[in-house]
Amino acid sequence: MEDLVLAILTLAFSVCFFEHLTRAGMDALFVIVSLASMPAAGYLAYERGRSQRRWVYLAAVIGPFAIPALYFTAAVSSLRGTDSVSRPRA
């Protein structure tokens, strides 16, 4: 549940940040934040047992939105593990 809360908070922060950038026209700041999100996403992926390389590449493509995506992935996988219904074997 805490992953879902963190995902929503980081997504809201990312949206507010990008909205501010579009109004201010700060391209250099956008590049710096996008580059800084790459190692952050890699570290968070490592902590959660995900592929660091894939998440770093994803952060290179979508920037800081990779961090909330990582939290959403963790939240969905934890919900699937606890709420999944076992299927009868044929």
Side-chain angles (χ1 to χ4, degrees), residues 6-81:
L6 285 172
I8 292 170
L9 288 175
T10 55
L11 181 65
F13 174 74
S14 297
V15 168
C16 291
F17 179 75
F18 279 126
E19 183 179 334
H20 172 71
L21 282 179
T22 56
R23 277 191 258 137
M26 294 189 234
D27 293 331
L29 185 60
F30 172 72
V31 170
I32 291 170
V33 170
S34 294
L35 290 175
S37 70
M38 292 169 62
Y43 177 73
L44 290 171
Y46 171 75
E47 279 188 339
R48 286 161 177 72
R50 306 271 179 198
S51 171
Q52 286 180 321
R53 181 176 290 163
R54 287 183 185 169
W55 283 99
V56 169
Y57 288 149
L58 185 65
V61 173
I62 64 174
F65 285 113
I67 295 171
L70 184 60
Y71 285 124
F72 276 124
T73 303
V76 167
S77 66
S78 70
L79 288 176
R80 273 190 175 170

